[in-house]
Amino acid sequence: ATFTARSQGALEAEAGSCKGEAVMIRTYLPTRAMIQRFQRIIKEVEPERQVIISYGTLQDPKDANLLSVSEGLRYNSTEIIKEKPVFLDTLYKIFGKERVVVTDDDMMLTEFPDMRSLPSYFTLMKRADGTEFGIQTWARGYHDEYIYTAMREYERVKGEKWNGCGLWVWEDDLEYTGNFKQLFDKYSGTADLISEQAHPLPKEKEHRLRWSSQKFRDECVVDDKVHRHREHLTYQSRRFLDAWGNAMKKGIHAHSEFGTATFCAVKGFKQRNVDLDDMDDRTPRKGWFVTTRHLHTQEEMKAHVEQMRKQGKAVLIHPCKY
């Protein structure tokens, strides 16, 4: 789908009587630096946008003997991080229980029981004593089903239906050296799906196609193509959220790095990529907006973030797990 500029009012009119937006921060065992990032987002975007902290659990989050290594060995390497993570009880104390929403695979599978027939990911976990064990998880690859479940849990906690016009989703290790409100204001309401580097490719080149339902392949894989994108941050309009949610309820599922963008393209919604000027250097094996977690040390990432701020440059930088 091609990008067509649209006003916030136009999309709100299409969505009906919606009001405002929400920003969901997706996290699991965040660091203190991440907590400070969350607090800055809240300070800069509220009250215009409501910030939700979505805490995804794989095991009992109160068990301090469990440290996740599912996200690029985040907690078992001193090269990556030296700080202990923040557990759920502390998040509650800092942000309050109305803002922190807890979800897990069981909750997601209750919303979408047909997903049990789909492939899950094997996720390695590590205890503080060094012993390892593994679990099967769906949340690692099916982000949209996770987000849907988190929003339903948020409604349950609040005791009312969420009626926003759009939803931003922000991954906890994504940093921005500018003002978050200005970043969101630039893009909000200009498309139904906003993400990074969306592009079509032959289905044979999407190695994760098996992480999709037959209904998805029947209804969304058109001309033997899918559409891949990056999702460190995304925006979805209300009408897209509703349509995609209804489709998932009907059994249309896919790995979110191609499922969301593909559904957007083939169903006639408007898509927009985050401008390259808003992203730091993306040069493979060199840049500062990359997917690999071992290119730079976290000390180097932190120093680079501080340098960009001193230079007055507003850019997205990833991954910042320090």
Side-chain angles (χ1 to χ4, degrees), residues 7-14:
S7 69
Q8 176 67 30
L11 286 180
E12 287 183 6
E14 291 180 8

Side-chain angles (χ1 to χ4, degrees), residues 200-248:
L201 75 163
K203 68 177 184 180
E204 293 79 13
K205 292 190 176 182
E206 180 46 77
H207 63 281
R208 294 161 298 194
L209 191 61
R210 72 184 187 93
W211 274 281
S212 64
S213 65
Q214 188 61 51
K215 287 186 177 180
F216 175 87
R217 294 192 288 270
D218 290 343
E219 295 191 27
C220 298
V221 179
V222 178
D223 296 328
D224 291 328
K225 292 180 181 178
V226 295
H227 292 250
R228 185 186 292 174
H229 71 161
R230 298 291 187 186
E231 47 177 356
H232 302 94
L233 77 159
T234 61
Y235 172 87
Q236 296 183 27
S237 71
R238 183 54 185 260
R239 68 173 194 156
F240 183 80
L241 282 167
D242 290 345
W244 188 210
N246 290 335
M248 289 187 290

